[in-house]
Amino acid sequence: MLRLTAIAICSILTLPAVAQVTLDELDAAANASDAAMEEFRKRLNDPDPDRALAVLHLLVSKGDSDQRRMAVRHGLQSTDRAIRATTLRAIFDSEPTLRLVLEPVSDEPDHSFTTSVSWWGGVIDSEGIVTITLKITGFNSEEDCWTDEKTEKCLLRIKGDIVSLWIGSSWGSYELNGAGQLKGEQAFKGNLTKATIDLSE
């Protein structure tokens, strides 16, 4: 028994040490990442506006999570309408899942309102606020719009940096605020709502 115990102890002592990350390795990796991201930032601010917009669209629509997050933040917070519009197009081109929040203006929306919310798979909380999940599935070049998974028809259009959304039998108009949210008014089955789509990452 003592022999077996001794062998077990020796085996444990000869096992390789668990790999650890040193502070130097951590700093080196962080610095390398910062340097790479800084190069992308420089390209986003290219003095040639066409190049800058092309970089922006590519990073938002096809970049990894860090690149996309940086580019989305850059684009949504820009005061340049062309940059905001390109960011919006790139976001929609990436076929995202969007979260639409509707706050009815009326305290008592009619029955068609709740029925349509249910049809869209939405939920109404205890305060009457609606949340609907919308999955973008592609761009219809003939109709110049982005389609959704639920209806396979036009859901979104952009003119400049103004976004139009078709839901609840009506088009609503949305504009970006400084927090990366699309804010607007949406008539939903004839019931006016204050609407929000958060695009920030």
Side-chain angles (χ1 to χ4, degrees), residues 4-81:
L4 291 175
T5 302
I7 292 173
I9 291 172
C10 288
S11 298
I12 292 172
L13 292 175
T14 57
L15 287 173
V18 176
Q20 293 181 334
V21 177
T22 67
L23 290 176
D24 287 342
E25 289 174 327
L26 193 64
D27 289 341
N31 290 337
S33 176
D34 287 344
M37 295 305 285
E38 182 58 30
E39 290 303 314
F40 287 116
R41 290 188 190 96
K42 288 179 181 177
R43 285 162 175 76
L44 281 170
N45 291 290
D46 193 296
D48 181 334
D50 291 335
R51 285 174 58 88
L53 291 177
V55 169
L56 175 64
H57 190 283
L58 188 62
L59 288 178
V60 174
S61 59
K62 295 185 178 180
D64 64 26
S65 58
D66 290 336
Q67 295 167 347
R68 176 182 166 85
R69 190 178 299 111
M70 177 190 65
V72 166
R73 189 180 301 119
H74 170 84
L76 296 183
Q77 294 177 354
S78 175
T79 57
D80 187 301
R81 291 190 67 189

Side-chain angles (χ1 to χ4, degrees), residues 1 3 62 142 188-189 197:
M1 181 70 179
R3 178 180 171 80
K62 295 185 178 180
E142 292 183 359
F188 193 88
K189 286 296 181 180
I197 301 173

Side-chain angles (χ1 to χ4, degrees), residues 102-109 113 128 185-186 191-195:
L102 301 171
E103 183 178 352
V105 173
S106 170
D107 291 334
E108 296 183 5
F113 179 88
E185 292 187 342
Q186 180 75 53
N191 297 266
L192 184 62
T193 68
K194 295 179 180 178

Side-chain angles (χ1 to χ4, degrees), residues 94-166:
S94 69
E95 301 184 4
T97 297
L98 304 176
R99 182 171 173 265
L100 172 66
V101 177
L102 301 171
E103 183 178 352
V105 173
S106 170
D107 291 334
E108 296 183 5
D110 59 30
H111 179 68
S112 63
F113 179 88
T114 55
T115 300
S116 189
V117 168
S118 178
W119 186 86
W120 278 96
V123 295
I124 305 176
D125 69 14
S126 59
E127 297 180 352
I129 296 175
V130 174
T131 302
I132 297 174
T133 300
L134 304 168
K135 172 60 179 171
I136 307 302
T137 55
F139 184 75
N140 183 328
S141 57
E142 292 183 359
E143 298 289 338
D144 193 28
C145 67
W146 287 268
T147 56
D148 72 284
E149 186 176 60
K150 180 72 173 177
T151 67
E152 299 180 352
K153 296 179 180 178
C154 285
L155 178 76
L156 293 164
R157 283 197 173 100
I158 294 180
K159 185 172 184 179
D161 59 349
I162 305 298
V163 174
S164 297
L165 171 70
W166 174 267

